[in-house]
Amino acid sequence: MSETDRAGFGEVLRGHRRAARMTLEQLAEVSGVSARTLSDMERGRSKGPQARTVTALADALKLDDGARARLIGLARDGRLRDHWTRRSSLCELPGSVGDFTGRGEELLWLGELVCAESSPGVGVVGLITGSAGLGKTTFAVRAAHSVRPSFPDGVLFLDLFGMSQQPLTPDDALRLLLRALGVADQDVPGDPRERASLYRSLLRDKRVLVVLDNAAAEEQVRPLLPGGGASRALITTRRLLAGLEGVRRLALGPLPLPESTELLTGILGERSARDEESTLAGLAELCGGLPLALRIIGNRLLSRPDWDAAQLAARLADEERRLHQFKAGDLKIANAFGMSYEQLADSTRRVFRNLAVVPGRDLDAALTAVAGGVPIADAWDALDELVDLGLLQDSAEGRYRFHDLVRLFARDRLQEEETSTGREALEKRVTSWLLRMATMSGRWFEPGYGRPDRPDPDLTALSCEEEADGWLRVNVDNWMGAMRGAAGNGLHSLVLDCAESMHWFSDRWAHSPHWREVFALGAEVAGALRDPGQQATQLNYLAWVHSVPPADPEAVLRYAAEALELATRADVTAQIAWAHEYTAEALLLLGRHDGAIESSSRAAEMFRAIGDVDSYIQSNAAITKCLFDEGRYAEALERYLGLLAVLDDPESGMTPSVAVHSRPLALLRIGSCLGHLGRRAEAITALRAGIDLVDELRASDYRQADALETLASLLAEEGLTDESRSAYLRAAQVFETIGDTTASSRCQALSRPDPPCAPAGTP
């Protein structure tokens, strides 16, 4: 912090007067403030003049908005400090709120702090961190009252003004604390080191709890900590204060929804009986677990008895206006966030507000660099600063996320501080990057693509399929949000490229809930581009999505029919064939086996005619599945074994990567056929081999779950009870992952000793 930053109200006022080339008398004449009063201000005798006086001075000095705001802020800090000195010279602990709710585990943490053994010469210090609005001070005060009997020599409370323009200096803090400990003013040492030494010696001989609220930095609190003995210190701060050694840390988080609802109900008191419990819970949820937000909402309802809670909830539902609804009198959630925002460097403020355009709930350093328009190293620095001040939350996986209300504050700052042209350019840059990253990642799984030969230099480099898979899954909310935004803004080619690139990856993550929207957007933009062939392709992908359990065969038929019409019009044989293949899938699901075989046979002939060996093999596999479903297991087995031979033949003409992904599915089908034919040992071998290959490919889905359940049943029949239970448990886990809770519960039950009889129809 520079000398200018540390300057008080009087020094800043004198600097502005001299810059304006005015004497005290001239400023007095123009402003209407007496020369004597001006002199007292500049010499520090009056540190916190009233707001109207400061406004008159700012007008007389013709200060710009920034200088005016700083002068007003310094005066406000001075008034607070004068009030503290006059009224709280003994550092008395403030009263606690009567509606304090929750924080049971955190209160236990403080109890452990009080009882903790201290090493010789080492003070016991608790550090409570958290972002604005989490109720750190309220919690610390309540906690201090709860343990007050354990500190017979007193509980001291000192506001360090850490978020103000001029935090309390360690010397001033020590003077106030020494006075509270009974040291007369004339006996307070002038030398800072002697002052700190006296303070530590007094604490060593007493049992005192010192609550240091709203700390600014490590160097501010270090001289205020006990150096051993029975005294304790409790610090609250928005910053992490990572440089403090040996402190016991408590990161205060948002209240859970039940406790948030309880707090809101407690604030409302008798008035809460007028409102539906579900309405209050909805209001509490919109507050995001921030006690400050809950108090603002509660106070708004209390101060307006005629208001209906449901009406306020409706107002808060409007995300564009939500932030501005969180105000009640002098309480305003934006002000709390704004104090942290003002602590940031200018470059970090820009990164912070730019992150508001990120579509998903979390982000990483690479995306931060893109949104912030900064190098990756600077992005890491900005993220560290934002986490340090509680404006972002981080995780062990290197992901960062906003609290919902902080995101709205960032969006508000972006709206206020960036031009419309700048915002549009920012949104386009982030959208383009996300879609190009998703497209590049998706193509890792598409035959003929994989690692790009010349990737865009601004994209994150991916070295293998596993990294591409991980990026797509972790960032799905971001690139999906980018797809929606791009489709709405006419960036049709970007959207279509992205949707097309997901075709092969979607089979790897078949049960993701996103694919319906991905391919629906693909079909929509292909239509906007007047490309019926691509529109047919995306509609065929939609038909596939609806064939994944829990399947909707009528939707499959509908999309396949639309695709067939468009593909025929565009004369795209491959998509005509796929429309027939998905029609066959729907007919099979409906139990219409003859029609399914006919449609798959038609598709197979088309694929063979255009030389598409991969698709031809898949159509033949579909025909074989019809035989299996009809109970013709011997015929199905023979055809599956023939299919496996083709997959294992390097001269078959199949794309190697397609053969690799098809082989485990063939083994699973072979195992099922063998099981139905009573050849259990062979079936178990085939199923185990197929399941192992699926694991290697990270392609768990309904087919693997079914195979695991079949394997478990066969193992039980062979008397391999422990292995059977293990397979049932794995099947239950996969079924749970893909959302089939009924099958998961069935397998869980069968995994237990002496399970109930399996329902009819199970393997």
Side-chain angles (χ1 to χ4, degrees), residues 355-428:
L355 289 178
V357 306
V358 172
R361 293 185 59 82
D362 61 7
L363 49 94
D364 59 11
L367 184 50
T368 300
V370 173
V374 296
I376 189 72
D378 293 346
W380 281 114
D381 291 341
L383 289 168
D384 285 345
E385 191 174 355
L386 291 169
V387 170
D388 188 47
L389 272 164
L391 290 171
L392 278 183
Q393 304 157 16
D394 64 348
S395 69
E397 293 77 28
R399 308 290 296 179
Y400 300 81
R401 69 188 305 166
F402 281 114
H403 185 280
D404 289 345
L405 294 179
V406 177
R407 177 193 291 278
L408 294 179
F409 174 74
R411 184 184 299 174
D412 184 69
R413 290 298 84 217
L414 182 66
Q415 186 75 25
E416 290 293 323
E417 300 182 40
E418 184 59 83
T419 65
S420 59
T421 302
R423 292 195 302 272
E424 289 174 9
L426 168 64
E427 290 174 5
K428 186 174 181 180

Side-chain angles (χ1 to χ4, degrees), residues 87-101:
R87 299 291 302 276
S88 303
S89 59
L90 296 180
C91 301
E92 175 59 27
L93 182 66
S96 180
V97 294
D99 49 33
F100 183 89
T101 301

Side-chain angles (χ1 to χ4, degrees), residues 30 240 321 473 525 681:
V30 177
L240 297 179
R321 296 178 50 80
R473 292 178 192 250
V525 298

Side-chain angles (χ1 to χ4, degrees), residues 338-349:
M339 293 177 73
S340 294
Y341 181 69
E342 291 300 321
Q343 301 289 315
L344 300 172
D346 288 343
S347 59
T348 308
R349 288 184 199 172

